[in-house]
Amino acid sequence: MPAATQKTPARPKKPSSPKAPKVGLFVTCLIDAMRPTAGMASVELLEAAGCDVIVPTAQSCCGQPAWNSGDRTAARAVATPFLDAFDDCDYVVVPSGSCGGMLSKHLVDLFADDAPPRHRQKALEIAAKTHELTSFLVDIMGVTSPPGRYQGKVAYHDSCSSLREMKVKDQPRQLLAATGAEVVDLDHADTCCGFGGTFSVKYGDISGAMVNDKAEDVRAREPDVLVAGDLGCLMNIAGRLSRLGSDIAVRHVAEVLAGDLSAAPIGGGQDDAPSTEESR
Amino acid sequence: MEVSSENFKANVETAVVDDNLKGAMGKLTGALRPNRAKAVAGLPEFDALRDHGIAIKMHTLDHIDTYLEQFEANVVANGGHVHWCADEDSARQTILDLCRQHDVKTVTKGKSMVTEELGLNAFLDNHGILPLETDLGEYIIQLRGESPSHIIAPATHLQQHQIKETFQSAHTHLDADRPMDTAEALTEEARQELREKYGAADAGITGANFMIAETGSTIIVTNEGNGDLTQTLAKTHIVVASMEKILPTMDDAGVMLRLLARSATGQEMSVYTTLSSGPRRQGDLDGPDAFHVVIVDNGRSKMLAGSEREMLRCIRCSACLNHCPVYASIGGHAYGWVYSGPMGKVLTPSLAGLEQAKDLPNASSFCGKCEEVCPMRIPLPKLMRNLREQQTEQKMTPLKQRVALSLWSALASRPWLYRKLTGLMTRTLARLAGKRRVFSWMPMIGEWTKSRDLVAPEGGSFFDRYHARTQPIKGADHDDRTQ
């Protein structure tokens, strides 16, 4: 099925009103470096929802690679610069369940024990106001209709952190359905794709077996586009789909919701795939 | 049992291309996972029951000395004996001494993971005592000379045709043309082989799912009834149990049993739940003449005082194994010791030593499914992370990793510099990839590219684009206070 997308016409960007919640976007290092379009789409979605968006520059990575490697010192060094960066914000929004989980669930543990009390306090403040993007739009901002329109079949992949740490499940599906898309679930939707950050480069055989299972699940559904809220999963699944010769498009969920398909899909997929069975 | 977890990576390499294993692991997604989901959905109070169970376990661990002593007093009052063993050497020796004391030549065994920990079968065999496993799965792997690959389904790594081959070569006294093509036929064959052995055994050795302090009873659950035959037909019953299996009361056991079967196989209760409360008394129709309980520490006291304490809540249901995508990809043997899956990744380093099992706590994507399904809500990812942290503190991690992490953190803690460098790198990579948009190989990350392509960056950075939109002033990105 050909996938078409467009923004709803005549929907001017809402000017920020004094009552507009001030939202600090935590961009994530992967989106900044690998997929700027997903970051811009996130800004657009938040503004369309009536938020006053700021993007503090005192941020790079959430520190998770070091935290999950058991290196507390390195993780603290990376997380410290952004501890003060969101002071003025009502919310911190992250277009990633994984980095969102780091901020809202692990930051407090990272700055526990011997950390300076001020850092611990800041970590608590950030944890309390951090949300994953799609759940923020639905649960906090009450968004029911995102700007994008998508006529096609969308498979949504649940990242483990989104699903288990951030309790994101129905929100992105509701928003995707509101774009006009046909939303389908994968067979083993709650099974990890095998990314796991540094796990994927330390244990390539296991990670490779896991992503192969996930890619087969995706192919079985024959979606026009596979979306997820986490760039790590997307790069992993797109990489395997590409290796398998599939041309299913892979995109960050924000791109489809914002109606911004200007960038080529992640990896080697195509938006307008020739609708032959063989190519899938 | 000897620890071979240092071979983890080599084991994995073999496991992921083993088609028999891949086929066998289909049982997890095909049966065990949906069965548990159905059982949990059928019990609305399951989560409340979990909380109750956890409270019981935490209370018991806080007072474990009291309850273990109460248990001992009641076992003795029932006419049995309790033996305290600090490590595997003393446990093995104690069991051997008991066998000699009761003039035991052959033993039947119910499935027991702690006896695997002790390497008991090989030890008894070396001392002239023949151990015969009676659990179907254990029987199969004993014939094959293998160790269990799963804590409740020890032969889960095998497909039916492999079991048929095993029986063909082991049961040479049977008609070569007998029907062996159904699971029922194979099970019946094992049943007939085992049936005559029970009565002939001098001692039965079982594990214990629980020890009950208030009654001095031990409890085992099985689906085959082999445990009952093992412990009631032999003259001597020896129970081997690790110390954390203690529970204060029979009511507590009721809570745990309801959690255990649902989490393990999706049953409401296991088929047989068997209590042993001492030797045969006057007027009893059956039961052993002697009843011994060997309580094994073997590293648990150390765990009780350490950062892995929560692991002692484990009731060995195997839900974490059954739902683990890593376990499903590599099977249980790759882990290199008695316990596999997520619980093994914490237990093996805790009991056998972190130095011997460096890979285990690291080989997880931290997907969190194990913690989600654990009836005791053991925070397995957190415990693995603790072990990773201990490795960092003790400089056990590879030098390459330490250098890479410290270089990366030096950069990432300076956002402006970090963006300059990643920007340079991503622009270069985007150009190199060109229209193909992926790389099929990349130096340093061969582990990634051997099974999947590396996606090329889109080109440019978010911050460049965002600032171009909001503050088209050259150099805005240079000030880290800019918002």
Side-chain angles (χ1 to χ4, degrees):
Chain A
M1 181 197 294
T5 184
Q6 60 176 81
K7 291 177 202 180
T8 315
R11 190 189 182 101
K13 183 183 145 185
K14 288 182 190 168
S16 58
S17 70
K19 280 183 192 164
K22 197 165 182 185
V23 169
L25 184 72
F26 190 93
V27 182
T28 82
C29 58
L30 278 182
I31 285 186
D32 180 45
M34 303 295 290
R35 195 68 184 172
T37 298
M40 296 304 288
S42 303
V43 172
E44 203 166 321
L45 286 167
L46 289 166
E47 287 177 346
C51 302
D52 181 7
V53 180
I54 65 160
V55 187
T57 53
Q59 55 168 309
S60 59
C61 166
C62 62
Q64 192 178 181
W67 170 242
N68 281 351
S69 298
D71 191 337
R72 192 176 285 259
T73 311
R76 279 184 184 173
V78 176
T80 303
F82 66 74
L83 285 178
D84 297 319
F86 297 92
D87 281 356
D88 299 338
C89 302
D90 300 311
Y91 301 102
V92 180
V93 171
V94 194
S96 156
S98 174
C99 313
M102 182 68 201
L103 263 54
S104 68
K105 304 285 182 259
H106 299 290
L107 205 61
V108 176
D109 289 337
L110 173 60
F111 288 100
D113 304 329
D114 59 333
R118 199 184 69 83
H119 286 179
R120 182 164 168 74
Q121 183 53 36
K122 290 287 176 186
L124 282 165
E125 286 170 24
I126 290 178
K129 60 184 177 185
T130 296
H131 299 266
E132 182 274 344
L133 175 69
T134 60
S135 58
F136 177 77
L137 291 173
V138 173
D139 299 341
I140 307 294
M141 298 307 294
V143 173
T144 51
S145 177
R149 287 289 164 270
Y150 192 90
Q151 309 295 323
K153 196 201 266 189
V154 179
Y156 177 80
H157 162 73
D158 294 281
S159 85
C160 299
S161 310
S162 286
L163 189 65
R164 303 205 175 87
E165 290 190 324
M166 305 303 283
K167 309 296 174 207
V168 177
K169 189 173 182 192
D170 295 336
Q171 304 93 327
R173 290 175 169 85
Q174 282 168 24
L175 293 174
L176 284 166
T179 67
E182 178 199 351
V183 184
V184 295
D185 275 330
L186 302 179
D187 273 350
H188 303 287
D190 68 345
T191 301
C192 177
C193 72
F195 175 64
T198 56
F199 168 78
S200 59
V201 287
K202 283 187 195 162
Y203 299 95
D205 283 324
I206 308 175
S207 170
M210 288 162 69
V211 73
N212 184 57
D213 289 348
K214 186 58 71 181
E216 293 299 348
D217 273 1
V218 174
R219 274 157 45 116
R221 279 280 167 267
E222 300 188 337
D224 293 303
V225 63
L226 172 86
V227 301
D230 275 86
L231 200 59
C233 311
L234 290 168
M235 290 171 61
N236 188 37
I237 301 170
R240 182 61 193 167
L241 284 172
S242 162
R243 181 65 56 91
L244 292 170
S246 158
D247 60 4
I248 294 170
V250 175
R251 290 187 176 277
H252 192 282
V253 66
E255 298 170 27
V256 173
L257 296 180
D260 183 356
L261 304 197
S262 57
I266 299 165
Q270 302 294 331
D271 283 312
D272 274 318
S275 55
T276 53
E277 293 294 316
E278 297 77 44
S279 69
R280 291 282 155 88
Chain B
M1 182 176 160
E2 206 172 313
V3 187
S4 61
S5 305
E6 65 269 30
N7 302 330
F8 181 75
K9 281 200 161 179
N11 296 345
V12 164
E13 216 171 307
T14 322
V16 291
V17 294
D18 182 340
D19 286 338
N20 275 330
L21 180 66
K22 199 170 171 57
M25 287 292 114
K27 290 191 278 277
L28 304 181
T29 45
L32 288 164
R33 290 181 196 175
N35 290 352
R36 175 200 174 268
K38 204 173 150 203
V40 169
L43 188 73
E45 68 268 36
F46 188 74
D47 271 330
L49 203 61
R50 277 165 105 175
D51 293 333
H52 189 179
I54 294 164
I56 291 170
K57 268 287 185 182
M58 286 173 50
H59 167 84
T60 311
L61 291 173
D62 284 346
H63 305 281
I64 192 164
D65 48 346
T66 309
Y67 289 118
L68 283 170
E69 285 175 3
Q70 187 190 355
F71 173 77
E72 180 186 32
N74 284 322
V75 170
V76 171
N78 293 340
H81 306 272
V82 171
H83 310 269
W84 301 91
C85 298
D87 54 28
E88 57 181 45
D89 286 335
S90 80
R92 281 192 296 248
Q93 193 57 47
T94 300
I95 297 165
L96 179 63
D97 290 345
L98 288 172
C99 287
R100 286 183 173 153
Q101 175 193 327
H102 292 284
D103 200 20
V104 171
K105 298 282 184 294
T106 63
V107 299
T108 42
K109 276 191 74 210
K111 207 185 75 55
S112 148
M113 293 311 286
V114 71
T115 63
E116 298 288 342
E117 222 177 280
L118 307 177
L120 186 63
N121 286 1
F123 181 81
L124 290 178
D125 216 2
N126 289 340
H127 289 82
I129 295 164
L130 186 68
L132 180 75
E133 293 288 351
T134 63
D135 170 89
L136 178 59
E138 287 282 352
Y139 175 68
I140 294 164
I141 60 168
Q142 191 181 27
L143 291 178
R144 295 171 63 91
E146 292 177 333
S147 58
S149 65
H150 187 282
I151 58 172
I152 69 163
T156 200
H157 58 287
L158 297 173
Q159 298 206 58
Q160 194 177 313
H161 73 86
Q162 295 171 284
I163 297 166
K164 175 182 168 182
E165 287 152 21
T166 302
F167 283 4
Q168 276 170 334
S169 47
H171 303 158
T172 48
H173 55 286
L174 298 177
D175 178 5
D177 296 327
R178 65 194 184 276
M180 297 182 79
D181 286 324
T182 61
E184 289 75 15
L186 294 172
T187 307
E188 183 57 26
E189 183 169 319
R191 189 167 178 263
Q192 293 306 331
E193 288 297 306
L194 285 167
R195 186 87 2 185
E196 57 196 71
K197 308 273 178 17
Y198 290 110
D202 305 307
I205 297 180
T206 67
N209 290 90
F210 305 104
M211 298 183 279
I212 310 300
E214 70 170 353
T215 60
S217 310
T218 62
I219 300 181
I220 58 168
V221 296
T222 72
N223 281 321
E224 298 165 21
N226 64 304
D228 301 53
L229 295 170
T230 299
Q231 68 189 46
T232 48
L233 294 182
K235 285 203 159 94
T236 301
H237 180 197
I238 302 171
V239 178
V240 188
S242 53
M243 59 186 261
E244 81 281 10
K245 298 292 179 92
I246 188 78
L247 286 176
T249 68
M250 207 59 90
D251 280 350
D252 297 332
V255 174
M256 295 300 175
L257 287 166
R258 295 177 74 198
L259 288 167
L260 177 61
R262 285 178 171 85
S263 302
T265 53
Q267 292 164 287
E268 289 182 7
M269 284 286 278
S270 302
V271 177
Y272 297 91
T273 299
T274 310
L275 281 78
S276 301
S277 305
R280 183 177 191 161
R281 281 158 299 202
Q282 218 172 8
D284 282 354
L285 292 177
D286 55 20
D289 295 338
F291 179 72
H292 297 273
V293 184
V294 178
I295 301 178
V296 181
D297 182 324
N298 207 28
R300 270 85 173 167
S301 292
K302 205 178 82 205
M303 284 177 71
L304 201 57
S307 59
E308 275 65 61
R309 179 188 174 101
E310 286 162 293
M311 193 63 224
L312 293 172
R313 293 210 297 262
C314 177
I315 56 172
R316 305 289 191 269
C317 68
S318 81
C320 64
L321 282 74
N322 300 342
H323 290 78
C324 176
V326 173
Y327 179 89
S329 300
I330 63 174
H333 285 149
Y335 294 77
W337 201 49
V338 180
Y339 304 105
S340 54
M343 54 87 79
K345 286 177 183 173
V346 176
L347 267 184
T348 306
S350 303
L351 296 177
L354 189 53
E355 185 71 44
Q356 304 220 54
K358 282 188 232 170
D359 276 310
L360 296 189
N362 288 295
S364 164
S365 65
F366 279 167
C367 81
K369 187 74 192 176
C370 49
E371 180 174 357
E372 183 184 286
V373 296
C374 175
M376 292 290 113
R377 295 191 219 279
I378 298 170
L380 288 151
K382 185 188 96 175
L383 299 183
M384 288 180 224
R385 192 185 290 104
N386 287 349
L387 291 164
R388 295 180 189 187
E389 218 170 326
Q390 289 172 31
Q391 290 183 336
T392 302
E393 283 159 9
Q394 296 168 34
K395 297 210 183 330
M396 273 187 208
T397 52
L399 182 67
K400 202 170 84 178
Q401 178 183 322
R402 271 181 282 154
V403 171
L405 270 176
S406 58
L407 272 176
W408 170 80
S409 83
L411 279 176
S413 56
R414 294 168 178 79
W416 174 78
L417 180 63
Y418 183 77
R419 275 198 288 280
K420 283 284 160 207
L421 280 170
T422 52
L424 189 68
M425 205 168 78
T426 53
R427 275 192 300 275
T428 309
L429 286 174
R431 262 200 303 274
L432 279 175
K435 283 186 178 159
R436 231 194 122 220
R437 294 185 275 128
V438 294
F439 297 94
S440 49
W441 181 80
M442 186 61 62
M444 316 284 283
I445 53 167
E447 290 276 321
W448 176 285
T449 50
K450 73 176 159 187
S451 51
R452 76 216 102 176
D453 293 339
L454 177 70
V455 168
E458 190 184 333
S461 77
F462 167 81
F463 275 93
D464 283 349
R465 237 194 254 183
Y466 182 70
H467 285 303
R469 190 196 80 158
T470 55
Q471 297 167 307
I473 307 158
K474 203 166 185 282
D477 190 31
H478 288 224
D479 183 355
D480 272 356
R481 287 164 303 174
T482 309
Q483 294 187 339

